């Protein structure tokens, strides 16, 4: 099938770079290979992915800090010249 495509500059750069890695292949072959790879990986999106879970870490609170006054807390932690 013959068609006309408008390829963005960044995509064209990537295709030209791929062609530079294997100069024996034509630009047409490179484009078709990249499209085939993209279509194959797209079909695998239906598989359930392993769930990512973040485990919280209890850092504890300092007993000597009163968090009601944030200015006071910042002065204690960072010093009065923090501004």
């Amino acid at each position: 099938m013959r068609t006309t495509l408008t390829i963005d500059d960044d995509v064209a750069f990537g295709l030209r770079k791929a062609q530079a890695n294997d100069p024996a292949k034509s630009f047409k072959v490179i484009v078709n290979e990249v499209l085939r790879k993209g279509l194959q990986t797209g079909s695998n999106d239906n598989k359930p992915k392993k769930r990512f879970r973040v485990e919280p870490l209890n850092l504890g609170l300092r007993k000597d800090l009163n968090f009601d006054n944030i200015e006071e807390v910042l002065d204690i932690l960072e010093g009065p010249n923090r501004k």
Side-chain angles (χ1 to χ4, degrees), residues 12-30:
F13 177 77
L15 291 169
R16 293 286 180 201
K17 190 174 177 184
Q19 187 180 25
N21 291 339
D22 194 355
K25 293 183 182 177
S26 69
F27 188 72
K28 173 184 160 183
V29 170
I30 298 288

Side-chain angles (χ1 to χ4, degrees), residues 6-81:
T6 303
I7 300 175
D8 292 338
D9 291 338
D10 59 330
V11 176
F13 177 77
L15 291 169
R16 293 286 180 201
K17 190 174 177 184
Q19 187 180 25
N21 291 339
D22 194 355
K25 293 183 182 177
S26 69
F27 188 72
K28 173 184 160 183
V29 170
I30 298 288
V31 170
N32 282 315
E33 286 178 355
V34 169
L35 287 173
R36 280 189 191 97
K37 285 180 187 177
L39 289 171
Q40 288 173 354
T41 58
S43 64
N44 294 336
D45 289 342
N46 296 335
K47 289 193 303 187
K49 296 181 181 174
K50 185 177 178 185
R51 190 170 186 173
F52 181 79
R53 183 177 170 113
V54 176
E55 295 291 333
L57 178 65
N58 184 7
L59 298 177
L61 297 176
R62 285 182 44 182
K63 304 280 187 236
D64 61 331
L65 293 180
N66 179 1
F67 293 97
D68 292 335
N69 184 348
I70 193 66
E71 287 293 322
E72 182 181 332
V73 172
L74 290 173
D75 283 343
I76 293 170
L77 294 176
E78 298 180 7
N81 298 325

